[in-house]
Amino acid sequence: MFRLKLRDELGIIKRNGLYRFLRKKDRNILDFSSNDYLCLSKHPEVIEAVKEGLKYGLGSTGSRLTSGNINHEILEERLADFKETERALVYPTGYSTNVGVISSLCKKGDLILSDRLNHASIIDGCRLSRADVEVYEHCNIESLVDILEKKGRRYNNIFIVTDGVFSMDGDIAPLRDIKKVAEEYNGVVIVDDAHGTGVLGGGRGTLKHFNIKPSDNIIQIGTLSKAFGGLGGFVCGIEEVVEYLINTSRSFIYSTALPPPVVSGVLRSLELIEEGYLTKMLQENIRSTNRIFKRYNLIKEDNLTPIYPIILGKRTMEISEYLIKNGIFAPGIRYPSVPKGLERIRVSINVEHREEDFERLCNLLNKFGQTNNSIST
Ligand SMILES: Cc1ncc(COP(=O)(O)O)c(C=O)c1O
């Protein structure tokens, strides 16, 4: 009976064109899908550090509060220095960081203001918290202020939560304005800089990009799975925030800590990011992509981040399949990951891409357009 019910539901998903399936990545394919922006996941020095970390064993064998606290505090000290905060705390994933931080700090009687395009892990953190949640229009300060004017005075605490760089659009949150609004309403800003760290502000992230000094009322979240090329998440902020999370954050307390070799690997990634040259190379590649994509009319304005949404609407999956058949992996993104009508190919670039790779992608998209009249919907 249960099996049949699930089959029916899967049938509906299929009929709506939203069926997802797993695809093994061909190692030789030209890859525009990964978040390994600095190509650190395979960097020889990172791999060496991972091997070195194996002396602690494969797994951490327990939560950080039991047997799992091994080499993690070294990483936390370095992350706090890197983000110029008093403390940092590492979680098993970026997802569990958002869920654990937001659900722990935001309580009944509080108000969370969340950008419409925030990542699913932020949305889930908001849902798990007992706070009231209001969604403001994407990067729209008027919409944010409007909600605060109407409702902001009734609550104990106000939290404004936003991606630093939006994962599916590659645009940057207007953090200066958000910070100003937060100050006016005595609120706290939580920035998820999963895609800004290693990319903006010389690698230090979106706050640095805007020259915003970390303060008591800003909490920075990051992930070790994207520009760091590893796995894990972290939160940076004041001493009291970190101590509070160690004592109350369920995804920190009730989950096994990161494997020590991963900690060693991302520590080396951090050192390489701090040297700055990889982020510089990435920014150079972003400039090349801007130039080439503009020539092919794929973008109108320059991007500052390596995420390029090519909005194709209903034909997105067809075009993505066409690219795969021709040796390029650039995944199609559909609802609910993005709004209906804004289905897209998400092209993400990294330090190892060459100009000829961008040309190849653009040529194929062009060819598809010619053989199918137009790729626009
Ligand atoms: C903006 C954002 N936040 C958080 C996450 C979750 O990070 P992780 O993949 O490390 O769990 C992601 C990645 O999927 C993301 O794009």
Side-chain angles (χ1 to χ4, degrees), residues 35 93-96 98 119 121 163 165 167 192 194-195 223-226 231-233:
N35 297 313
T93 64
Y95 183 96
S96 68
N98 273 329
H119 189 257
S121 53
D163 282 14
V165 171
S167 56
D192 172 10
H195 297 274
T223 163
L224 301 164
S225 65
K226 304 195 193 299
L231 182 71

Side-chain angles (χ1 to χ4, degrees), residues 56 64-66 68-81 86-91 242-243 246 252 257-258 260 263-264 267 270:
Y56 300 111
R64 289 286 299 286
L65 288 164
T66 57
N69 192 30
I70 302 164
N71 48 354
H72 302 71
E73 281 170 302
I74 309 167
L75 175 62
E76 286 167 347
E77 270 176 35
R78 301 294 297 277
L79 283 168
D81 281 350
E86 290 172 13
R87 293 277 298 273
L89 189 68
V90 168
Y91 281 67
V242 169
E243 286 297 316
I246 292 171
F252 174 81
L258 271 188
V263 175
S264 301
L267 244 172
L270 176 56

Side-chain angles (χ1 to χ4, degrees), residues 211-257:
N211 259 324
I212 299 171
K213 266 205 157 332
S215 64
D216 287 10
N217 288 351
I218 301 180
I219 294 167
Q220 299 179 70
I221 286 171
T223 163
L224 301 164
S225 65
K226 304 195 193 299
F228 283 77
L231 182 71
F234 60 93
V235 54
C236 295
I238 55 174
E239 169 89 16
E240 288 77 0
V241 163
V242 169
E243 286 297 316
Y244 190 78
L245 291 171
I246 292 171
N247 281 278
T248 63
S249 183
R250 295 170 70 82
S251 62
F252 174 81
I253 299 169
Y254 299 108
S255 193
T256 298

